[in-house]
Each structure stands twice: as structure tokens, then as C-alpha cells.
Amino acid sequence: MPKTEFEAAKKEAPESWAAPKDSEELREAILAKLIYAVGKDTKTASPHDWFVALALAVRDRIVDRWMSATRRTHQADGKTVYYLSVEFLIGRLLFDGLVNLGLTETARDALAALGVDLDEIRQEEPDAALGNGGLGRLAACFMESMASVGLPAYGYGIRYDLGLFRQVISDGWQHEVPEDWLRHGNPWEFERPEVVYPIHFGGYVEHVTSEEDKPRDIWHPRETVMAAGFDTPIIGWQGKHANTLRLWSARSIDPIELTAFNRGDHVGSFAARAYAESISRVLYPSDETPSGQALRLRQEYFFTSASLQDLVRRHLSRHKSLANLADHAAIHMNDTHPSIAVAELMRILIDDEGFDFTEAWKITSATLNYTNHTLLPEALEAWPVALMNDLLPRHMQIIFLINYMHMKRVRAIIHDEPGLAAASLIDESDGKRVRMGHLAFIGSRRINGVSALHTKLMKETIFHDLDSIYPGRITNKTNGITFRRWLYEANPELTSLLAETLSPRVLDQPMLLKGFAAFAEDAAIQERVAKLRRRSKQALASVVKDRLNVVISPDALFDVQIKRIHEYKRQLLNILSTAALYLEIKQEPDAAYVPRVKIFAGKAAASYARAKLIIKLANDVAQIANNDPVIGDRLKVAFLPNYNVSLAEVIIPAADLSEQISTAGMEASGTGNMKMALNGALTIGTLDGANIEISEAVGLDNIFIFGLTTAEVAAKRAEGFRGRDAAALSPRLKNVLDAIYDGMFSPDDRDRYKPLIDAVLGYDTFMVAGDFDAYWAAQSKVDALWTDTAGWAKSRIHNISSMGWFSSDRTIREYAEEIWRAPTL
């Protein structure tokens, strides 16, 4: 990026900003890394070599602060947060480090003197394939914010070799190929060969009694896998503090079965190693088969057990006993994936440390906390008891004991059989299954939702009975985003303008954004915002041209929906509206239309057939609309493949309209809504998740709210609403459904979308037909405001100015104070 007032603003920041600014010093450091770490000279170095050299030079400066922070934490002997998450979608880390250390322009100058362009080599860094969507990106934002507010913390997860998958779109269909992000190594991480823990599976439990000792249960596992630690330092804003992201890689005890190899079974001799190391190969392997379910459970226990063993070792190196663990550790389970932590911590306390059940439960339930991220039953996880017995027999025993204790309490409050069955940890309605969400709930000190509506619905639905049994445990912590990534890095020009108009202090105090509202009707500021936004739109248009060979105009309204593809997120509603707009332009080509570019991005789970069909429909509509000369530039459709953090950083600053159109009551929070609003997009959305808090912050004049409420959705479902009832009352909806059903957008296979349309016309679970007309009407309001240039510019500024509260720094401070009881800077 060119030099901007942003750099000048940072120079005016507090004296605690203490990073080397001398470009000559950094240049020498880069050269040293290039020669002695990469093994290249300036004449033979490739762009990737230069990236690695710069990354290592920046890492050195991060490590200085990391070591200092580690020493301070050790000396303070206070409370450390341990954040367990199956995903950490950290993206690229180079600019995270440069921005937080105040070294962006220093690095630019240092590289320029060597004939290297910073913006070119930054593209050499792969996105770390450690997550899928909002869950992982939230964990990454939280790690950065914990470092920025000075909260000592460890993040714990899995070092996936191949991530989720790299999405390739071929003939409109999603195909999954391995995301080999580690093929060139990872310059940010440190392998810790001394940090290795045994993880046991299977076998049997022996009950031992003797006259000398109290009865004990001894687990004799049939398999052991080693968990090897890899550390990545996470630097906070202004380099004041740094924390550790420790990811576990699965290793076989023996690299090869030598006897089998020597007798000629050269492939089979590696089978045990392949089986063990499959645990950390891929994120979210399909669980449609029994072996897939087993691998999922192995993954979750693998990283949870390794993490707990690690933090217990750290605690016992400073303290004589785990009796005071809750005074020095706050363990947080990010969704249900790590919920086996309840049983594993109990196992460690009872079997390894000799606590009795009551003492162990007191420590466990005082130390653990749990964030629920969804009300969808399939996301809460319920493992078959038979599978648990096979893989984790000791844990199954402990879970039965926990349930026995729990149900004694339940029976004092609930007396009817359906209520007792609903409260039990064991679901016996469809074969015996362990309810992992229930386990996480009763084993935690605090349980939180991630938006006001989501927390309310948790109390009313999935955890209604548990909330009455354990009152006061549920609390709300509305999600947030790190402004360093999603404003300072993604949109440096807007950041410069904010620092200039408000004060450089806005970089440290997001709530100062409120002051930008005073410029909402300032024509000069409106124009400056419009110009910088147009440059962002030109950058996105270039990406669309390069990746899709589709030409889009930066003067059109960029209408953006970027998120995981799922029926409840209702990309289908957006596509139906897009196809209906296409049909309307075809029918009345001489009418006036607001030029629109519909931009989609997101991955469907590999086994989610209907979501993949929705992607195909988006691409089929794009193929027809983009190549119709009657339509021209009035409607373009772009589905950008392989959505990741880096692509989001290009799309979000260019978005004019943010699509947050989930079925009311089904989106826990969302954070894409916050990111786009912070960068000046207006939101079109339902009263769902954090849309409600955003609408309260920006005002209903600056957001487009439509559709059924949560209560209305529930009522329609109860009355057996069918989509054909809505289609009968809406000629526009009937017309577009008929066109898709009859194959207008799939001339090569006219039956392709009949099952999809039949689902909409039938029991309309996600209210796609139920909300279609309301969505169309809201889009008409979007058109009307877009044609009022000054009015749109005013609303844009109000959105930017209202986002300060949605900083993840605020969220983390609330967690620290009310859930973890841990001090921050």
C-alpha cells in the first residue's frame, strides 16, 4: 500500500509502541535470513524465498516480545486462559505481524532498496488451512485480541496437514482437492520435539482392589498415538504482548513396522503409521460412515487430551497439586468439539492424580467453560455409546458416573419421564448416544451464547431443562472481530481517513468511531469515502476478471454473500431473487434497473449434496445471465471459488450490500455482518443472530431488515407451512421456481433442480418461499436508496461509525471479567 496518514498516525501512538523502525536494519536482517536460513543470494532468490526471509526477520522481532510476555506471565503466576478449538482460521500472518509491530512501511522501504515489492511477495504466503468458517475465524480473532489486551493465553488445536479442502469449481460443480498449505513449510511455527504426549485409544478398564489402597480403575489401551506440539507466536496490537497458539500433530510411536517391511510388505508396513497420523491430516472428515465418525471422535479426543496434559504439566511445574487449578487456569471449550474435556480432566484428576470423584468434579466444573455456537442438533454432537466404549472405555465409565450424579439432582426438580429423558446425558431415543452439548454444559462454570437472540433461544430450546436445573450459568457474549485484520490490514485507506478525521487514538479505542457519525452529511468526506471504496471495488473487479474471466463494473452495486454454504444461511433465497431479476430484465428490457453484481463465495461440506447443488445453481444462473447480451452490465453474477481469509480481505472492503439473510432463529451470531458494516457496507438481513444488535447500533434507517421473525418461523413450521402456498400468492416467485424447475438455467439437464425446487414447494423448512416476497421488497428499498447517492453515502458512514462495540477486544474483556475471572492489561 502507498504511504498514508495511517503510518503517521501510528507514529503519534503511545511510547509503548517499541518496534525497530530503521529500514536499513531490517534490510540487513532480511538479507541475513535469505542467505543463512533460506540458502539463497539476491540473484537467485525467488519471490517465495524473499517472503520466507522477510517472515523470519519479522518473526525474530515477534519472538523478542513473545519471550518477554512469557517471562512476565510466569513471574506473575496469575491465571492463564486455555482456549480449545478444533479450528483456528488464522489466514496469512505476515501483515498481522507487520501491522501490529508498526513495521509495514519499514518493510516496504527495506525491500524496495533490494529491488523487491512487498505487495508482490505477500501473495506468496499461503492461507493456513486450519479452519472452515466463522468458528475458526472467531477463534483467530480471539487469539489476536487476547494478545492485544494483554491476557495470558494459549490456543490449542490441531495442525492439519491438508486443512478442509481446496475448492475447485469445474463446470459449475464444487470439487474438493487437498489444501497442501505446508508443502513449502511454515516460517511462523516452532516445532517442539520435547513437547510430546501419549494419547490412548481403545482397550479395556480393569477394576483393582486391595487391602492397602482404595479401589482403582486402570485403563489398558490397545493403541497409543503421540501428540507433537508446534508453536506459533500470536502478537498483539503495538507488540505489547504475545501469546502462544500450540497445535498438535499426530505421530505414530514407530515410523515403520520393520518386520513387515523386511518380509516384503513394503506398503503394509506403513499402515499403522498412516492410521495414527490420519488424525491430523484433514479437518472435518466426512462422518457419514462408521470409520468417519470414529476419526472425528479420535481427532477431538486427541487434541483435547494433549492440551489438558500440557496445561496440567505446566500447572504442576509451579504448584504442588491440581487442587488450585481453577485459580490459575480457565479452560474454554469453543463449541462442542472439545467437550470430551469434561471426562478427560476428570480422568486425569482421578486416575493420575488420586482425587476422589467429588473433589475432581469440584475442580473440573470450576475450571471449564463452554461457548455454544449453534442451535442445530447435528452440530451439538451425540456420539454412539458403542463407539465411545470402543475408543474411550474409561471416559464412558466416567460419563455414566457423571450422569448418575447429574440425574440425582434432576429428579429432585423434574418428575415426568419425558423431562427426565431430555435432561439425561444419554439419549436413548435413537440408540444410546452421549449428548456432548449436555456434557459440556453440566461440566462448565459458565456457558455462553454469542448474540443476545442466540443466548435467549439457548435458554428456551436446547438447554431449557438444564438452565432450570443449573440456573445462572448461561450468559451472553456477543461476538466481535479484530479491527487490526478487518480494518487496518484489509482497508488501510479507510483506516487512514478515520485516523485523520477522528484522531490516531481511534486505532486504540474503537468506540471513538462514534465520532465519525458527525461527518455523515459532510459532502467532502462522503466523496473521499466513495473514492477509496471505488478503488477497493476495482481491486475486487480485477480478481473476478483474473479468476472467472467475468468483467464487472465498479460503478455497479456490489451485492455480497460470503459464508459457508448451508440451507439455513439461504444462499438459495439470494439465487432465486437473482434469477427472478434476470427474468424481469428479459421481460422488460427497457425499464430502469440498478446495475448489480451478485458476488458469492463459500464452501459446502464435501458430503452435503444439497449445498453443492446450490453452488451449481449459482454458477448456472451466472452462466446464463453473464452471457446474455440483453442483460449487459445490469446484472452480473460471480461465484468466487476457494473462499478463505485472504479472499475475504479483498471482498469485504468492496462490498456495498452485505447479505445476512439466514432463517430467523438459526444463525447464532455471524461475524461477516460486522466486518462488512465496519468497512461501510449496508446490511440486508433478517432479525437473526447479531443482526439484531447491529440494527440497534446503526438504526433501522441504515439497514434493510425483512422477513419472518423467530416466533413467526416457529408458528409457520407448527402449522405445516408449505412453499407452494407462498408461490400461489406470488406470481414472481412462481415464475422463477417454474423456470428453474423446467430447466431454463440447466439446458444440459432439465431435471437437475427438480428435487431442489420440490423441497422449496414442500415443507419449506428454511422459509425460502416464505420470505421471498419480503426479501424482494427489501431489495427494492436497496435500489431506491442506491439511486440517492448522498443518502447511501450517509448510511454508509453511519454503519462505519456504529461498529466500535463489535470489536473482539470488547468481547474478550467481557469473557475475561465475567467468565474467566482473569485480569487484562
Coordinates of all heavy atoms in Angstrom, one line a residue, residues 17 28 62 78 92 202 222 245 257 281 349 372 382 395 455 582 646 666 694 727 747:
W17 N 4.8 1.8 22.0 CA 5.0 1.3 20.6 C 6.5 1.2 20.4 O 7.2 2.2 20.2 CB 4.4 2.3 19.6 CG 4.5 1.8 18.2 CD1 5.5 1.9 17.4 CD2 3.4 1.2 17.5 NE1 5.2 1.4 16.1 CE2 3.9 0.9 16.2 CE3 2.1 0.8 17.7 CZ2 3.2 0.3 15.2 CZ3 1.4 0.2 16.7 CH2 1.9 0.0 15.5
E28 N 19.1 -5.4 6.4 CA 20.2 -6.3 6.8 C 19.7 -7.7 7.4 O 20.3 -8.7 7.1 CB 21.2 -5.7 7.7 CG 21.9 -4.5 7.1 CD 22.7 -4.8 5.9 OE1 23.4 -5.9 5.9 OE2 22.7 -4.1 4.9
I62 N 9.0 -10.6 16.6 CA 7.8 -11.1 17.4 C 8.3 -11.9 18.6 O 7.8 -11.8 19.7 CB 6.9 -11.9 16.5 CG1 6.2 -11.0 15.5 CG2 5.8 -12.6 17.3 CD1 5.4 -11.7 14.4
G78 N -0.4 -15.7 37.7 CA -1.8 -15.5 37.8 C -2.6 -16.5 37.1 O -2.3 -17.7 37.1
R92 N -3.2 -15.6 6.6 CA -1.8 -15.2 6.4 C -1.4 -14.4 7.6 O -2.2 -13.6 8.2 CB -1.6 -14.4 5.2 CG -1.9 -15.2 3.9 CD -1.9 -14.2 2.7 NE -2.0 -15.0 1.4 CZ -2.3 -14.4 0.2 NH1 -2.5 -13.1 0.2 NH2 -2.3 -15.1 -0.9
G202 N -9.0 -47.1 22.9 CA -9.5 -48.5 23.0 C -9.0 -49.2 24.2 O -8.7 -48.7 25.3
R222 N -5.4 -50.2 23.8 CA -4.9 -51.0 22.8 C -4.0 -50.3 21.8 O -3.3 -50.9 21.0 CB -6.0 -51.8 22.1 CG -6.9 -50.9 21.2 CD -7.8 -51.7 20.3 NE -8.7 -50.8 19.5 CZ -9.9 -50.5 19.9 NH1 -10.4 -51.0 21.0 NH2 -10.7 -49.7 19.2
L245 N -0.1 -20.0 20.2 CA -1.0 -21.0 19.6 C -0.3 -22.3 19.4 O 0.7 -22.4 18.6 CB -1.5 -20.5 18.2 CG -2.4 -21.4 17.4 CD1 -3.6 -21.7 18.1 CD2 -2.7 -20.8 16.0
E257 N 6.7 -50.5 10.6 CA 6.7 -51.9 11.2 C 7.8 -52.7 10.4 O 7.6 -53.2 9.3 CB 5.4 -52.5 11.0 CG 5.3 -53.8 11.8 CD 3.9 -54.5 11.6 OE1 3.0 -53.8 11.2 OE2 3.8 -55.7 11.9
R281 N -4.6 -35.2 9.6 CA -4.4 -34.9 8.1 C -5.4 -33.9 7.7 O -5.1 -32.9 7.0 CB -4.7 -36.2 7.4 CG -3.6 -37.3 7.5 CD -2.3 -36.9 6.8 NE -1.3 -37.9 6.8 CZ 0.0 -37.8 6.9 NH1 0.5 -36.5 7.0 NH2 0.8 -38.8 6.9
L349 N -7.6 -36.2 36.9 CA -7.7 -35.9 38.3 C -7.9 -37.2 39.2 O -7.2 -37.3 40.2 CB -8.8 -35.0 38.6 CG -8.6 -33.5 38.1 CD1 -10.0 -32.8 38.1 CD2 -7.6 -32.8 38.9
N372 N -21.4 -22.2 23.2 CA -22.3 -22.8 22.3 C -22.4 -21.9 21.0 O -22.6 -20.7 21.2 CB -23.7 -23.1 22.8 CG -24.6 -23.7 21.8 OD1 -25.3 -22.9 21.1 ND2 -24.7 -25.0 21.6
A382 N -23.6 -36.0 19.1 CA -24.1 -37.1 20.1 C -23.5 -38.4 19.6 O -23.9 -38.9 18.6 CB -25.6 -37.2 20.0
H395 N -13.5 -43.2 29.7 CA -14.3 -42.0 29.6 C -15.8 -42.3 29.7 O -16.6 -41.6 30.3 CB -13.9 -41.2 28.4 CG -12.5 -40.7 28.4 ND1 -11.5 -41.6 28.1 CD2 -11.9 -39.6 28.7 CE1 -10.3 -41.0 28.2 NE2 -10.5 -39.7 28.6
T455 N -28.5 -16.5 22.7 CA -28.5 -16.9 24.1 C -29.9 -17.1 24.7 O -30.2 -18.0 25.4 CB -27.8 -15.8 25.0 OG1 -26.4 -15.6 24.4 CG2 -27.7 -16.1 26.4
Y582 N -33.2 -11.5 -13.3 CA -32.8 -11.8 -14.7 C -34.1 -11.9 -15.5 O -34.2 -11.3 -16.6 CB -32.0 -13.1 -14.7 CG -31.9 -13.6 -16.1 CD1 -30.9 -13.1 -17.0 CD2 -32.7 -14.6 -16.6 CE1 -30.7 -13.6 -18.3 CE2 -32.5 -15.1 -17.9 CZ -31.6 -14.6 -18.7 OH -31.4 -15.1 -20.0
S646 N -7.8 -14.6 3.0 CA -7.2 -13.6 2.1 C -8.2 -13.1 1.0 O -8.2 -12.0 0.7 CB -6.0 -14.3 1.4 OG -5.0 -14.6 2.3
M666 N -31.8 -19.2 13.5 CA -30.9 -20.3 13.1 C -29.4 -19.9 13.1 O -28.6 -20.7 13.2 CB -31.3 -21.0 11.8 CG -32.7 -21.5 11.8 SD -33.0 -22.7 10.5 CE -32.1 -24.1 11.0
I694 N -26.7 -5.2 15.5 CA -26.2 -4.3 14.5 C -27.3 -3.3 14.2 O -27.1 -2.1 14.0 CB -25.7 -5.1 13.3 CG1 -24.4 -5.8 13.6 CG2 -25.5 -4.1 12.1 CD1 -23.9 -6.7 12.5
A727 N -46.0 -19.6 -3.1 CA -45.9 -19.5 -4.6 C -47.3 -19.2 -5.2 O -47.4 -18.4 -6.2 CB -45.3 -20.7 -5.2
P747 N -30.0 -26.1 -19.3 CA -30.5 -26.7 -20.5 C -29.8 -28.1 -20.8 O -30.4 -28.9 -21.6 CB -30.1 -25.7 -21.6 CG -29.0 -24.9 -21.0 CD -29.3 -24.8 -19.5

